[in-house]
Amino acid sequence: MKFSKVAPVQARTIPLFLTNYDVVVEAVTGSGKTLSYLIPCMEMLLRPQTREVVRSKKNAVIAVIILPSRELAQQVFQVTKQMLHYVSCDYKDAVVDSDAKKGGGSSVTPEEKKGSLPLYSCQCYIGGRSVQVDVDEFTKNGGNVLIGTPGRLFEMLVSSKYTTLFNLTHLELLILDEADKLLEFGFKAKLDAIIKRLPKQRRTGLFSATQTKELAEIARAGMRNIVSVTVRQRSLGTANQDTAKPQIPELLTNYYAFTSASQKLDRLLEFLAQHREEKVLVYVMTCASVDWLYEALAQVLLPEEKGSIFALHGQMKLEKRQHVHKLVTTAKRGVLVCTDVAARGLDIPEVGVVLQYDPPVDPSTFIHRIGRTARMGRRGISCVFLLPQEMEYIAFM
């Protein structure tokens, strides 16, 4: 995957998972949290005992990863699938070659090569498609790593007639990613039911850019041998840092601009003209606002830029959301008008600018919106449009 070194959150977290600790992680968005649990997941799959389980039981589930949105679940699924492909194919051959060398250079038979590592599999369970499709896929290929949203995972593992398909006896790892958003969306009851269904002898990780009292309650109820990891960025000259404040990317510059409601659209056009060669995310509050602003920009105000203007919100059909996310991810420049469906965890590469056309009311949402830029050591710009009566928002920032 062409990573030459680990990020701080990975250096702190990976050894804990592999030495039988449960981990609660608070780290700035874009710091590399996903690999902090996927790398230990791969290591657990490669343990000799787990190899034998996977080889003999296709329906054995070793890890469950729960995320708050379909887009984020699919994103993590793609990374996991890429890592499992390497483990099952390229790394598998390296293990065989290493075994041959240890044996004094003796050749390895096809049977020995075939048996060195099992063919690992993963499944992504999200809403918007038939449960039967998911069941058929698991029956055919198994799923050692299950990734999905709480609703569909609850249906598959707890409430449906298909729950007996899944062998959870050998489960090693449970991950709740963007855990505070999982609770904010009202999934606590389903999370509790899923956790109750899993073996107690497991490793559990809670990952988020912010921590709440509700998360602390889940940690106390569903985790053992807990270690809290907080990875904060310290700028030069900031010896004393308020650890109670949520972190923002160090290379991010925050701006605000006052505008009247009647001039807001004009200010937006001026702003986009200044950042024409960059990838810009424009956040609004509602799905209807996304549709209206997208049509205004693409059809009326900037028709010559229609091909590089996109819209994304939670009421779109799954296939449409996937298509838009793929287009924005591969684009070199453009404008994505979106709601907060794209604010949590999604890795849209090379976002240079975030504009909050409508400011959020929730502090954690503000943090996650601006976290779409200035990721992994890159510089970024964030701006929020404020009405004259919203002067108090400056103190909040």
Side-chain angles (χ1 to χ4, degrees), residues 137-150:
E137 183 69 20
F138 184 84
T139 303
K140 178 180 178 181
N141 299 315
N144 309 124
V145 182
L146 303 185
I147 301 159
T149 51

Side-chain angles (χ1 to χ4, degrees), residues 85-369:
H85 176 78
Y86 171 79
V87 168
S88 296
C89 299
D90 300 343
Y91 181 73
K92 178 178 181 179
D93 294 338
V95 169
V96 172
D97 293 340
S98 175
D99 291 344
K101 291 178 181 178
K102 289 178 182 178
S106 60
S107 61
V108 180
T109 66
E111 289 75 17
E112 290 172 328
K113 183 172 183 177
K114 183 178 180 181
S116 61
L117 285 179
L119 185 63
Y120 299 104
S121 61
C122 60
Q123 299 291 344
C124 184
Y125 293 147
I126 57 178
R129 64 186 183 192
S130 169
V131 172
Q132 190 60 50
V133 172
D134 290 336
V135 170
D136 293 343
E137 183 69 20
F138 184 84
T139 303
K140 178 180 178 181
N141 299 315
N144 309 124
V145 182
L146 303 185
I147 301 159
T149 51
R152 180 53 60 92
L153 283 172
F154 174 81
E155 190 172 7
M156 299 294 283
L157 300 179
V158 180
S159 67
S160 74
K161 62 182 179 181
Y162 303 111
T163 58
T164 55
L165 287 176
F166 302 90
N167 184 344
L168 300 171
T169 305
H170 306 281
L171 187 109
E172 295 269 358
L173 182 66
L174 168 66
I175 298 295
L176 306 181
D177 197 355
E178 300 294 347
D180 55 340
K181 203 66 176 180
L182 287 169
L183 296 179
E184 183 182 323
F185 286 169
F187 290 128
K188 187 176 186 305
K190 290 183 178 178
L191 290 175
D192 289 342
I194 293 171
I195 292 172
K196 188 176 180 181
R197 173 89 162 81
L198 305 179
K200 293 183 179 179
Q201 296 296 329
R202 64 171 191 270
R203 299 279 61 80
T204 302
L206 268 64
F207 286 79
S208 183
T210 58
Q211 295 293 326
T212 64
K213 293 180 179 179
E214 291 80 6
L215 284 181
E217 292 176 3
I218 286 188
R220 285 194 297 268
M223 303 175 73
R224 306 158 51 148
N225 207 17
I226 303 172
V227 175
S228 295
V229 174
T230 302
V231 177
R232 296 184 177 275
Q233 297 181 337
R234 189 182 299 277
S235 303
L236 294 176
T238 58
N240 297 317
Q241 196 172 32
D242 187 353
T243 58
K245 292 183 177 180
Q247 290 291 286
I248 64 172
E250 186 176 7
L251 298 179
L252 174 69
T253 304
N254 269 314
Y255 297 95
Y256 62 88
F258 283 106
T259 179
S260 64
S262 61
Q263 295 181 326
K264 202 172 182 180
L265 195 55
D266 292 333
R267 299 292 82 78
L268 172 62
L269 293 175
E270 293 172 2
F271 186 89
L272 294 179
Q274 294 172 3
H275 300 281
R276 187 175 181 275
E277 298 304 318
E278 298 181 83
K279 191 179 294 186
V280 182
L281 302 190
V282 179
Y283 282 104
V284 295
M285 288 297 290
T286 67
C287 300
S289 295
V290 170
D291 292 334
W292 180 88
L293 190 56
Y294 168 77
E295 291 295 330
L297 293 175
Q299 302 296 338
V300 180
L301 300 173
L302 298 172
E304 69 281 3
E305 297 287 340
K306 181 178 179 179
S308 59
I309 299 175
F310 312 96
L312 181 66
H313 60 70
Q315 291 183 1
M316 288 179 170
K317 291 184 177 180
L318 178 60
E319 293 77 10
K320 176 66 173 178
R321 288 161 65 177
Q322 291 174 334
H323 180 64
V324 170
H325 183 233
K326 182 178 180 180
L327 290 176
V328 176
T329 297
T330 56
K332 297 297 183 182
R333 53 176 288 271
V335 178
L336 173 65
V337 183
C338 57
T339 57
D340 292 305
V341 70
R344 300 293 297 227
L346 284 186
D347 185 15
I348 301 175
E350 299 177 357
V351 174
V353 182
V354 169
L355 174 63
Q356 304 195 58
Y357 190 79
D358 296 330
V361 296
D362 178 48
S364 66
T365 301
F366 182 90
I367 294 297
H368 284 280
R369 283 182 174 184

